[in-house]
Amino acid sequence: MSDHNSASEVVIVGGGIYGTSLAYQLAKAGRSVTLLEAGEIAGGASGGPGERGVRASGRDLRELPVCALAQQLWAEYQARIEGGVGYRRVGGLKIYDVSYGHREHEVRGRMEATAMVQASLGTPSEVLSRDEALAREPELAPGILGAIWCPHDGVGDHSFATRQFAREAAKAGAVIRTGAKVAEIVQTRGAVTAVKLAGGETVPVGSRLVVVANAGAEALLKPVLKPHELGPVWNLMPQMHFVSNPLNRTINHLLSHAHRRLAVKQLPDGTIMLSGGAHVGYTPEGLWKGSLSSMTQNVTDGLLTMPFIDNSSLLSVDASRVETVAADQIPLIGQAEALPNLIYGYGWSGHGFAISLGFTRLFSEWIATGEKPEALEPFSPLRFHKPAEMLKAAALGRAAA
């Protein structure tokens, strides 16, 4: 039995940046919304210490149009929402050097081609020479070849942003419920009519159920989706290192590297944050188990890029947040064939915060119009199954001939 007399038009499962920003956009548009979060707001991958990169540089090409929309919205909401959303547009540099066994002309060609296609897909990108890159970031290793400069890239306080969107959604009329773990999707005559919570309560669903719970999404969706509506995913626990800055050096931009799994950013208090590298162990209990090898790899990549970090001391390491990754490292977004009022998105693959606002704006349009935006098509789980269908059809065609 439900504690609520009427169903919200839209029920959202997941209180991370996707769920809260979608709830905000829908509530501001006049929709009645209920958001259900199993733990606390920003309790999963959208929470934790430090900042996340809000970058388009280096993304999968299929994501770039959504990235361009997201970056526009990050700036817009930072200005519009009281207190902002913790976003800082500091610009991004992707560093290139000639690593052992590589050829300079190949590295230059890759750098120039990458900048060209990013610019054509909505992300302003400029190739910088070695001297131009060092003028922007004097602390970079002097042996670099050059960099791609993306002025629209930036950073964001992910925990703060997620909570801000939840607060603003509530102010706009959305119901935000924490400690409300969804255990089952209830269906009647080809439509989702409710969700059942772990405590036994049934929450009715009006016109649409949206599941964006990331690490918890697949288990919830499996009983109601067909196999080809799911994609191959796994869980990992990214590792963030926080180191001191005793020389009081400045990192001016969000930094990434062409062939090192590395992101470097300077937090507002001067602390240096190293992320993007090797991960830690993930136990069946959902706990993290660190290792010296993964820590050494990440710190070494940081030192090779910004040598002054060798003077730093390790302040803390955090790997407490579970991330879900798809096989091709872009999200899974779909609509249930048997339950057309259920749409879902998960598998944000460790970089979902940056592109979240673009996706939730497209989700909002989908809910408003009933038509799936074309920009979401590349993220359909069918991308993992269509080739097999095509080959099967081709084989049947040859047999008929």
Side-chain angles (χ1 to χ4, degrees):
M1 196 97 182
S2 171
D3 293 341
H4 302 277
N5 294 324
S6 59
S8 291
E9 288 180 79
V10 183
V11 174
I12 301 169
V13 180
I17 189 64
Y18 283 83
T20 60
S21 65
L22 179 59
Y24 167 71
Q25 294 182 47
L26 292 173
K28 290 290 284 185
R31 300 267 177 171
S32 64
V33 180
T34 295
L35 183 149
L36 304 172
E37 161 56 36
E40 296 298 323
I41 296 299
S46 294
E51 293 180 326
R52 296 287 186 265
V54 181
R55 65 173 175 86
S57 181
R59 295 293 187 207
D60 187 290
L61 298 184
R62 292 166 290 183
E63 291 181 328
L64 284 176
V66 183
C67 287
L69 174 60
Q71 289 185 325
Q72 174 188 331
L73 293 170
W74 278 111
E76 181 182 318
Y77 290 140
Q78 177 64 24
R80 179 197 301 176
I81 291 176
E82 181 182 359
V85 290
Y87 171 65
R88 298 187 290 134
R89 179 168 283 183
V90 297
L93 281 183
K94 184 175 184 179
I95 310 304
Y96 285 75
D97 57 26
V98 183
S99 60
Y100 180 78
H102 289 251
R103 300 294 175 263
E104 181 175 331
H105 75 276
E106 294 177 351
V107 177
R108 286 191 184 279
R110 177 183 170 197
M111 180 168 57
E112 292 166 1
T114 299
M116 182 183 299
V117 73
Q118 286 181 176
S120 71
L121 293 174
T123 297
S125 303
E126 177 186 352
V127 174
L128 302 183
S129 68
R130 171 187 176 278
D131 290 344
E132 289 170 331
L134 289 172
R136 288 190 172 276
E137 288 289 356
E139 302 300 335
L140 284 168
I144 67 169
L145 182 66
I148 295 177
W149 161 241
C150 292
H152 289 182
D153 283 358
V155 295
D157 184 329
H158 48 298
S159 299
F160 178 76
T162 303
R163 296 188 183 110
Q164 282 287 85
F165 280 117
R167 187 196 71 171
E168 293 298 312
K171 284 169 58 176
V175 176
I176 309 294
R177 297 186 58 185
T178 57
K181 180 177 176 58
V182 177
E184 181 185 347
I185 296 172
V186 180
Q187 54 182 301
T188 305
R189 294 187 294 276
V192 175
T193 54
V195 293
K196 185 174 291 186
L197 304 187
E201 178 190 349
T202 298
V203 178
V205 173
S207 63
R208 187 77 71 169
L209 175 68
V210 184
V211 176
V212 283
N214 205 25
E218 188 173 59
L220 182 61
L221 292 166
K222 264 188 174 180
V224 299
L225 296 185
K226 299 175 182 178
H228 64 267
E229 295 180 279
L230 297 163
V233 297
W234 70 92
N235 289 338
L236 59 80
M237 304 190 83
Q239 187 171 200
M240 276 70 71
H241 299 80
F242 301 88
V243 302
S244 66
N245 186 14
L247 301 181
N248 293 317
R249 301 293 172 82
T250 300
I251 297 175
N252 299 307
H253 309 93
L254 170 65
L255 302 181
S256 59
H257 199 280
H259 61 260
R260 295 179 191 137
R261 295 166 56 195
L262 176 71
V264 184
K265 56 184 75 73
Q266 187 164 24
L267 304 182
D269 66 0
T271 299
I272 307 300
M273 179 177 172
L274 308 175
S275 58
H279 310 124
V280 301
Y282 178 70
T283 69
E285 299 78 22
L287 303 176
W288 63 288
K289 181 180 180 182
S291 69
L292 286 178
S293 61
S294 63
M295 184 182 297
T296 300
Q297 179 181 328
N298 295 347
V299 172
T300 299
D301 281 347
L303 292 175
L304 291 172
T305 306
M306 304 291 281
F308 83 90
I309 293 174
D310 199 22
N311 296 281
S312 301
S313 299
L314 184 65
L315 300 175
S316 63
V317 181
D318 183 85
S320 60
R321 307 291 163 148
V322 181
E323 185 58 73
T324 299
V325 180
D328 55 359
Q329 299 188 41
I330 66 168
L332 298 162
I333 294 173
Q335 179 177 27
E337 291 180 8
L339 302 168
N341 66 331
L342 165 60
I343 62 177
Y344 57 92
Y346 68 106
W348 307 114
S349 301
H351 56 250
F353 177 77
I355 54 180
S356 58
L357 301 188
F359 278 116
T360 52
R361 172 61 62 87
L362 294 170
F363 270 56
S364 297
E365 292 176 6
W366 192 357
I367 291 167
T369 66
E371 297 292 330
K372 183 180 180 181
E374 185 179 350
L376 293 179
E377 284 302 330
F379 309 101
S380 169
L382 293 178
R383 67 186 187 266
F384 296 111
H385 306 281
K386 279 185 177 178
E389 293 175 0
M390 292 168 62
L391 287 171
K392 182 179 179 182
L396 289 172
R398 287 194 296 272

